[in-house]
Amino acid sequence: MQRILLIIILMASAAAPCATAQTATAPYKFDFGGGLGLSGYIGEANSSNPFASAGFTADLAARYIIDTRWSLRGALTYASLSGSTEGMANVLPENAMYSFTSNVFDLSVRGEVNFFSFGIGETYKRLRRISPYLAVGLGLSMASSGGNTAIAPSLPMAFGVRYKIKERINLHAEFSMTKIFSDKVDGPDLADLNRIETDFFRNTDWVSRIVIGISYEFGKRCETCHYVD
């Protein structure tokens, strides 16, 4: 998990200098869309492959487009999770096995930065129809498992690629990991399983997602015409 975070941080550092270059004004202010994909879990009942017991995930999102590089995105996300301690090296007392299913809803706001100026338009703007992007934000998650509900802050992080099909229509593919600051996403019975004090890396739960989505841009900006005598 630490390696994944380090990769995201390094990629963000690499993208930041590019984002400081002069950017073009985007023709539309907003877009709205959604995505479908696979969800996964990292926690006490699964410490390695997040998609070992893949579930279903979906989201609805609205984005404010600042310019061709930067945007702010608000999203409501659903993910179904499951996991089991069967076959794990860290066993429960008396070799007991624990399994769970959980439904997680997350409401988040995040900032996004494109590696390139994204869009279709005049060549002098140097716009590209395809661009990788990075995102990080803050959110609030609610997890329900075995009749118990837990609510906690979350930290979503993502890497993706978006492609502009037409002027207003975009496709994107994204991998994200959301740190949930609770140890009860997989149910209360696994909380503090190893009696390790909760911190950023240990003894709290992560939700992973692989999503393919589509969005539609709207809210055309007024273009300023400069009069030349």
Side-chain angles (χ1 to χ4, degrees):
M1 197 62 60
Q2 292 94 325
R3 292 180 181 177
I4 295 174
L5 285 175
L6 180 60
I7 291 171
I8 292 175
I9 292 171
L10 290 175
M11 293 180 69
S13 300
C18 296
T20 59
Q22 184 177 1
T23 57
T25 301
Y28 297 95
K29 299 178 183 179
F30 311 102
D31 79 355
F32 180 81
L36 300 172
L38 299 178
S39 59
Y41 150 86
I42 288 287
E44 283 85 2
N46 180 28
S47 59
S48 54
N49 178 10
F51 298 102
S53 300
F56 169 78
T57 186
D59 64 51
L60 290 175
R63 180 180 289 104
Y64 174 65
I65 305 169
I66 300 172
D67 54 35
T68 56
R69 285 276 176 82
W70 295 90
S71 60
L72 291 175
R73 176 182 183 265
L76 176 63
T77 298
Y78 165 77
S80 63
L81 307 177
S82 62
S84 173
T85 60
E86 183 178 9
M88 292 183 62
N90 296 329
V91 297
L92 295 169
E94 300 179 357
N95 294 319
M97 188 187 75
Y98 179 85
S99 60
F100 80 96
T101 58
S102 179
N103 294 303
V104 179
F105 292 89
D106 186 78
L107 185 63
S108 65
V109 176
R110 73 187 195 188
E112 299 181 341
V113 55
N114 296 320
F115 279 53
F116 312 117
S117 291
F118 180 68
I120 299 175
E122 295 84 350
T123 56
Y124 75 90
K125 294 181 179 179
R126 298 181 179 179
L127 301 178
R128 301 194 186 186
R129 299 181 69 161
I130 186 169
S131 176
Y133 65 90
L134 290 173
V136 65
L138 294 172
L140 186 67
S141 293
M142 181 180 72
S144 176
S145 178
N148 296 280
T149 300
I151 299 176
S154 61
L155 178 64
M157 296 164 282
F159 170 75
V161 177
R162 52 173 52 105
Y163 175 74
K164 186 168 286 294
I165 302 175
K166 294 184 177 180
E167 184 182 13
R168 295 194 184 199
I169 302 176
N170 308 312
L171 283 178
H172 67 269
E174 178 181 288
F175 169 74
S176 67
M177 298 196 70
T178 299
K179 170 75 172 181
I180 300 179
F181 292 89
S182 170
D183 197 32
K184 298 180 180 180
V185 173
D186 44 18
D189 295 338
L190 280 183
D192 301 322
L193 172 65
N194 298 315
R195 298 181 181 180
I196 300 174
E197 183 180 354
T198 296
D199 64 14
F200 187 82
F201 293 109
R202 301 176 299 179
N203 218 33
T204 51
D205 299 322
W206 296 75
V207 175
S208 301
R209 303 173 66 239
I210 296 177
V211 171
I212 295 176
I214 189 169
S215 65
Y216 177 81
E217 297 182 8
F218 61 97
K220 190 172 180 64
R221 283 188 167 90
C222 295
E223 296 184 5
T224 300
C225 296
H226 298 282
Y227 175 74
V228 179
D229 191 1

